[in-house]
Amino acid sequence: MLMAHPAVLTKLIEEYTALSKLDAHNGGPEVRQRMEDVAYTLCVSTGTRDIDAALVAARHRLPGARPEDDSLLTVRPTVPAGRTSDALGGQREVQQADVVAP
């Protein structure tokens, strides 16, 4: 897979963030189209299929990113009904419902 240059990823992240803060989804057709274009480009550049995953992947490819640090996602441990976390031996199972955006 081709890798986008970090400078390109930084520009795309900044532009998508700015458009999001301006609520571009509710803007005029040109603004909505630009937001869709930036989201699509981020997805293609990171090999993902949705914008949330693309933003996480892009940020991890920037200089200074640490693979073990994912400040965008919070994972809650899952415990089967009727058991405590000690019963799992400290292991955590991540499920879709356990991923919480800030």
Side-chain angles (χ1 to χ4, degrees):
M1 179 174 95
L2 292 174
M3 301 289 281
H5 191 278
V8 173
L9 292 175
T10 300
K11 181 180 180 298
L12 290 168
I13 292 169
E14 289 172 354
E15 187 172 359
Y16 186 83
T17 302
L19 289 167
S20 294
K21 287 181 181 178
L22 294 172
D23 198 22
H25 287 294
N26 295 322
E30 297 87 11
V31 177
R32 284 194 313 268
Q33 184 62 52
R34 182 61 191 155
M35 187 165 193
E36 289 174 15
D37 291 345
V38 172
Y40 175 81
T41 304
L42 271 166
C43 289
V44 170
S45 298
T46 58
T48 58
R49 293 184 179 210
D50 68 78
I51 187 61
D52 294 324
L55 289 168
V56 170
R59 287 182 178 121
H60 277 280
R61 292 185 186 159
L62 297 179
R66 298 178 309 217
E68 69 278 357
D69 178 28
D70 192 354
S71 59
L72 296 176
L73 301 177
T74 304
V75 178
R76 296 183 307 241
T78 60
V79 180
R83 295 188 181 198
T84 65
S85 59
D86 294 334
L88 294 176
Q91 296 179 0
R92 294 189 295 175
E93 178 182 337
V94 179
Q95 298 178 353
Q96 184 66 29
D98 294 326
V99 179
V100 180

